[in-house]
Amino acid sequence: MDTTIFKGMIMGFILSLPFGPVGIYCMELTIIEGRWKGYITALGMVTIDMVYSTVALLFLSGVKEYIEKYENYLSLIIGLFLLVISLRKLLTKIELKDINVDFKSMLQNYLTGAGFAIVNISSILLIATVFTVLKVLDDGNTFPTITYMEAILGVGLGGTGLWFLTTYIISHFRKLFGKEKLIKIIKIANATIFILALAIIFYAIKKIIN
């Protein structure tokens, strides 16, 4: 039995676990502007995960050296970007917005999520490593192209499924909590992003200097 698509879903789950700074940003957006804004932003990230999965499967040997060479600089850029965003939000008064779904704002959210994810090009190495551990190419499929497509489809299904559940749970709690508690949660989330951003920056600078 070909289990490639299920292995791809495992990869999608791993990449979409909402514990990193970008995942926290999506959860915060869900609290402030509603479920669909947070979910569409997460879909932007999942799309890039699928693109990077394709690169990892097809062109790893050609891009590995490039990624390793510039990984620390890219990490520094995304760390500074997250630092600025989190600091600005910490210093700004938070107001919960009325949920308003329109195409323009949804497109902006999608592109924001994709923009966050595309900077983290080093995730290609993580994807390649996990695919290797899961033996994605060892399922006995005689058509590599089909195997690649199944793996990439699995990444998309795993990521979109996890974020669909995550944003649903968060939006449910949004209705249960009062405004003041939600604002406190958002402040904690931004403080967490700020700390994680500092850690990313210090680590990247350390690696660049060394």
Side-chain angles (χ1 to χ4, degrees):
M1 178 181 178
D2 185 5
T3 59
T4 303
I5 193 168
F6 297 107
K7 292 178 179 180
M9 290 176 67
I10 293 173
M11 182 77 257
F13 274 114
I14 293 173
L15 292 171
S16 295
L17 288 173
F19 301 130
V22 184
I24 294 173
Y25 172 78
C26 288
M27 291 191 289
E28 177 205 345
L29 192 63
T30 303
I31 294 174
I32 296 177
E33 299 192 33
R35 176 187 181 187
W36 294 112
K37 294 289 185 74
Y39 185 60
I40 292 298
T41 304
L43 288 186
M45 293 190 294
V46 173
T47 301
I48 300 302
D49 288 340
M50 294 175 71
V51 172
Y52 282 168
S53 295
T54 304
V55 174
L57 288 169
L58 297 177
F59 308 109
L60 180 61
S61 59
V63 300
K64 184 176 181 180
E65 183 178 347
Y66 175 85
I67 294 170
E68 291 177 341
K69 183 178 181 180
Y70 295 104
E71 176 181 3
N72 296 320
Y73 296 98
L74 292 168
S75 296
L76 181 61
I77 291 172
I78 194 172
L80 290 170
F81 187 55
L82 291 170
L83 185 72
V84 171
I85 289 177
S86 59
L87 184 59
R88 187 176 66 178
K89 290 188 176 183
L90 285 170
L91 298 176
T92 303
K93 182 180 179 181
I94 296 174
E95 294 183 1
L96 298 182
K97 299 179 180 180
D98 294 330
I99 298 175
N100 181 28
V101 179
D102 61 88
F103 177 77
K104 183 179 179 181
S105 63
M106 291 297 229
L107 180 61
Q108 290 174 340
N109 290 134
Y110 179 84
L111 294 176
T112 298
F116 271 126
I118 203 169
V119 178
N120 190 25
I121 193 172
S122 59
S123 62
I124 296 176
L125 295 178
L126 170 63
I127 294 170
T129 300
V130 175
F131 275 160
T132 301
V133 172
L134 294 176
K135 298 181 179 180
V136 168
L137 301 181
D138 293 338
D139 275 338
N141 194 321
T142 56
F143 300 98
T145 301
I146 295 177
T147 302
Y148 294 155
M149 291 175 63
E150 288 179 345
I152 295 164
L153 176 62
V155 170
L157 290 174
T160 55
L162 180 61
W163 273 108
F164 187 86
L165 178 62
T166 301
T167 53
Y168 173 80
I169 293 172
I170 293 173
S171 63
H172 179 70
F173 281 104
R174 186 183 195 272
K175 299 173 184 177
L176 294 178
F177 287 127
K179 183 177 179 180
E180 291 184 3
K181 287 184 178 180
L182 287 173
I183 290 175
K184 287 181 180 179
I185 293 172
I186 294 168
K187 287 290 185 182
I188 292 173
N190 282 313
T192 304
I193 294 175
F194 182 81
I195 293 170
L196 289 173
L198 283 177
I200 292 171
I201 292 169
F202 286 137
Y203 180 78
I205 292 174
K206 182 180 178 182
K207 296 290 287 185
I208 291 172
I209 293 175
N210 294 335

